Amino acid sequence: MEDICELCWRFPVKTTEHHLIPKQHGGVHGPTAQLCTACHRQIHALFSNRELARFYNRIERIQDHPDMKKYVKWVQKQDPAKRVTTKKANRRK
């Protein structure tokens, strides 16, 4: 689906549904956000599902994390049609 990413606001981009509370932590029927694949991959590279369930379960909280702020500022400058690579955060390796 071509849409607007709710995290970086790039468009038109292919979006995927991100469960704000991971499904394995009871978020199957919970709130979701439409994210571009680059932002979706970056969230899962930066945060564990436990962290997402416990604290980073709202777009505003994800946006407020210093590493995500830096990433969003960078990705907004990227061509929406370009495939963006994601690196796992050092703390998650």
Side-chain angles (χ1 to χ4, degrees), residues 46 56 61-72:
L46 186 59
Y56 296 102
R61 287 184 175 174
I62 294 169
Q63 288 171 325
D64 284 343
H65 188 279
D67 291 341
M68 281 306 297
K69 278 185 182 182
K70 183 178 175 183
Y71 173 79
V72 168

Side-chain angles (χ1 to χ4, degrees), residues 20-87:
L20 292 169
I21 298 172
K23 292 187 268 185
Q24 75 184 64
H25 290 277
V28 173
H29 301 293
T32 61
Q34 290 302 121
L35 303 178
C36 66
T37 54
C39 285
H40 201 165
R41 283 193 318 268
Q42 185 63 32
I43 286 171
H44 288 286
L46 186 59
F47 305 110
S48 68
N49 280 348
R50 179 174 281 172
E51 290 171 314
L52 290 169
R54 289 186 178 172
F55 187 78
Y56 296 102
N57 50 27
R58 295 193 349 235
I59 286 290
E60 298 81 18
R61 287 184 175 174
I62 294 169
Q63 288 171 325
D64 284 343
H65 188 279
D67 291 341
M68 281 306 297
K69 278 185 182 182
K70 183 178 175 183
Y71 173 79
V72 168
K73 184 177 179 181
W74 174 80
V75 83
Q76 286 174 333
K77 299 173 190 171
Q78 306 306 308
D79 180 351
K82 177 184 169 188
R83 177 165 165 77
V84 177
T85 59
T86 304
K87 293 182 181 176

